[in-house]
């Protein structure tokens, strides 16, 4: 199955930052994708962690948004796999999840997450978070951690 990208697949020189959205929940994927597309980002979508890993290794996005609870490979497994591969070791990622337990949140940051957004959330938070991450990026793609945002009901 070819990757689901929105809009049509531009070449790497398009200059638009690539955001990989990995979530088994269709509504969350579509919401994040539409908001980010309107902001000028190139969005790549994956339905589970395994597909997300394959796309991340193939296309090396600028930022990854990922859920924790997903089939095949969960968000923590995906994060560990991204950190284990030299191509994606420094890739920033943000968890967007229904998991609100402080222990889960702590584990997310221990895996190297640059953010944690709880569902339900205001879509503008996702866009703002990604904008802040990319604005803080230095040429070697090393990022400083940024503050976490809580989801809004």
């Amino acid at each position: 199955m070819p990757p689901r990208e929105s809009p049509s697949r531009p070449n790497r020189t398009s200059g638009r930052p690539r955001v990989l959205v990995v979530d088994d929940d269709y509504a969350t994927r579509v919401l994040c994708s539409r908001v980010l597309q309107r902001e000028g980002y190139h969005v790549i979508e994956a339905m589970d962690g395994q597909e997300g890993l394959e796309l991340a290794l193939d296309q090396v996005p600028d930022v990854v948004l990922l859920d924790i609870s997903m089939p095949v490979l969960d968000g923590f497994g995906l994060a560990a796999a991204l950190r284990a591969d030299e191509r994606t070791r420094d890739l920033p990622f943000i968890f967007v999840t229904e998991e609100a337990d402080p222990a889960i949140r702590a584990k997310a940051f221990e895996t190297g997450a640059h953010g944690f957004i709880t569902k339900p959330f205001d879509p503008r938070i996702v866009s703002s978070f990604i904008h802040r991450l990319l604005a803080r990026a230095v040429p070697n793609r090393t990022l400083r951690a940024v503050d976490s945002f809580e989801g809004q009901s």
Side-chain angles (χ1 to χ4, degrees):
M1 173 189 317
R4 285 175 304 286
E5 293 192 59
S6 307
S8 62
R9 197 173 178 163
N11 66 34
R12 216 32 200 160
T13 61
S14 70
R16 295 188 316 161
R18 288 180 175 222
V19 179
L20 174 59
V21 178
V22 187
D23 199 314
D24 61 324
D25 180 64
Y26 175 78
T28 300
R29 272 196 332 272
V30 169
L31 176 63
C32 289
S33 294
R34 287 184 180 162
V35 167
L36 294 171
Q37 288 168 7
R38 276 187 245 139
E39 295 289 326
Y41 296 103
H42 176 77
V43 179
I44 307 161
E45 296 179 27
M47 295 187 308
D48 60 54
Q50 184 60 44
E51 183 182 20
L53 178 60
E54 292 166 8
L55 289 170
L57 296 176
D58 179 55
Q59 300 187 31
V60 189
D62 296 294
V63 179
V64 178
L65 293 177
L66 65 154
D67 191 8
I68 291 175
S69 299
M70 295 183 288
V72 186
L73 180 65
D74 71 8
F76 291 127
L78 174 55
L82 292 172
R83 290 292 176 249
D85 191 287
E86 189 171 304
R87 294 168 288 180
T88 55
R89 181 170 290 135
D90 297 322
L91 184 62
F93 60 91
I94 302 164
F95 283 107
V96 180
T97 184
E98 292 178 353
E99 302 287 346
D101 183 334
I104 298 292
R105 184 185 195 90
K107 183 176 178 181
F109 284 108
E110 288 167 7
T111 66
H114 287 80
F116 192 97
I117 301 170
T118 53
K119 297 175 187 176
F121 58 91
D122 181 330
R124 295 171 296 185
I125 290 174
V126 172
S127 176
S128 177
F129 220 133
I130 290 175
H131 178 75
R132 287 180 64 200
L133 272 174
L134 293 175
R136 290 181 178 205
V138 293
N140 69 358
R141 294 178 58 143
T142 303
L143 299 172
R144 297 180 302 225
V146 296
D147 297 333
S148 170
F149 284 100
E150 285 294 325
Q152 298 183 7
S153 310

